[in-house]
């Protein structure tokens, strides 16, 4: 392929060891500037597909997919493209690995990262148990963090409503954040209604097998409604809140969760006692040691 400068000096397109392709002049004159370049007839029927001069000069021949630039920042497009991917609406992205990994962080913290997902009806005691569990872990010298459903909607998810599609996105975002905490070696406690199995299962699928621990607060609706600490059931019964879980929107209990915390008859274990059940599970599975 041949380009010519404005003085008609031929510029030969030639393979370069570093770039795979390059540009050189066949005369003794220095390499022309972008504004001095013009296109001439190309040998062999080859055509130039694109020419960009915004600080970077790119020439791409139809006979190959290699690209080159005059500022020296060029490479094999096929090779680079093989490292890039598209995820959702994000394109041309690449996962960057670091030498420091999850095992290193877990050794530093002397524990194993995981997600404890506490699910149940409003008023079942999820947040109270989550706080009791966080306190119990703290007293054992273990680092945890609580992602409470209401708290997260004050910031990260403040743009989401309680429509079905927004509830699904709410769970997805919390699941992604919880995964990051677990990867950091932290015991993440997610406490939220999360009424639909498919959304909870999707969060489980984000983590390695065994690192998602689903805790079901198995408390009857009438008990939760009798508590009604936030007054939400009263508003839902009056029709002032639509799509309220347990009233006019379903709650799908887990089918194969790791832990069930039950309310039996008139007797209910204290939040600390429930937290100890979860602690026992973590100890048995080795999460409280590196």
């Amino acid at each position: 392929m041949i380009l010519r400068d404005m003085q008609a000096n031929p510029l030969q397109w030639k393979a370069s060891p570093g770039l795979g392709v390059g540009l050189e002049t066949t005369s003794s004159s220095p390499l022309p500037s972008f504004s001095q370049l013009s296109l001439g007839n190309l040998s062999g029927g080859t055509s130039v597909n694109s020419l960009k001069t915004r600080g970077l000069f790119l020439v791409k021949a139809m006979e190959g997919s290699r690209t080159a630039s005059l500022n020296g920042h060029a490479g094999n497009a096929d090779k680079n493209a093989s490292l890039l991917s598209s995820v959702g609406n994000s394109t041309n992205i690449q996962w960057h690995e670091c030498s420091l990994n999850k095992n290193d962080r877990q050794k530093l913290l002397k524990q194993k990262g995981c997600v404890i997902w506490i699910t149940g009806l409003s008023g079942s005691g999820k947040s109270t148990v989550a706080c009791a569990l966080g306190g119990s872990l703290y007293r054992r010298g273990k680092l945890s963090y609580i992602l409470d459903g209401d708290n997260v909607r004050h910031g990260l998810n403040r743009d989401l409503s309680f429509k079905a599609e927004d509830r699904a996105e709410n769970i997805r975002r919390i699941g992604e954040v919880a995964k990051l905490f677990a990867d950091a070696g932290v015991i993440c406690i997610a406490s939220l209604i999360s009424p639909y199995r498919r959304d909870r299962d999707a969060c489980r699928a984000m983590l390695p097998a065994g690192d998602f621990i689903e805790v079901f607060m198995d408390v009857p609706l009438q008990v939760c409604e009798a508590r009604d600490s936030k007054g939400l059931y009263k508003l839902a019964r009056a029709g002032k809140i639509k799509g309220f879980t347990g009233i006019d929107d379903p709650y799908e209990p887990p089918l194969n969760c790791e832990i069930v915390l039950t309310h039996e008859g008139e007797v209910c274990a204290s939040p600390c006692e429930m937290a100890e059940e979860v602690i026992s599970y973590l100890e048995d599975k080795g999460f409280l040691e590196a």
Side-chain angles (χ1 to χ4, degrees), residues 9-12 24-28:
N9 293 316
L11 303 176
Q12 182 66 42
E24 65 175 17
T25 176
T26 58
S27 70
S28 59

Side-chain angles (χ1 to χ4, degrees), residues 12-24:
Q12 182 66 42
W13 196 254
K14 182 180 179 181
S16 170
L19 300 177
V21 287
L23 186 66
E24 65 175 17

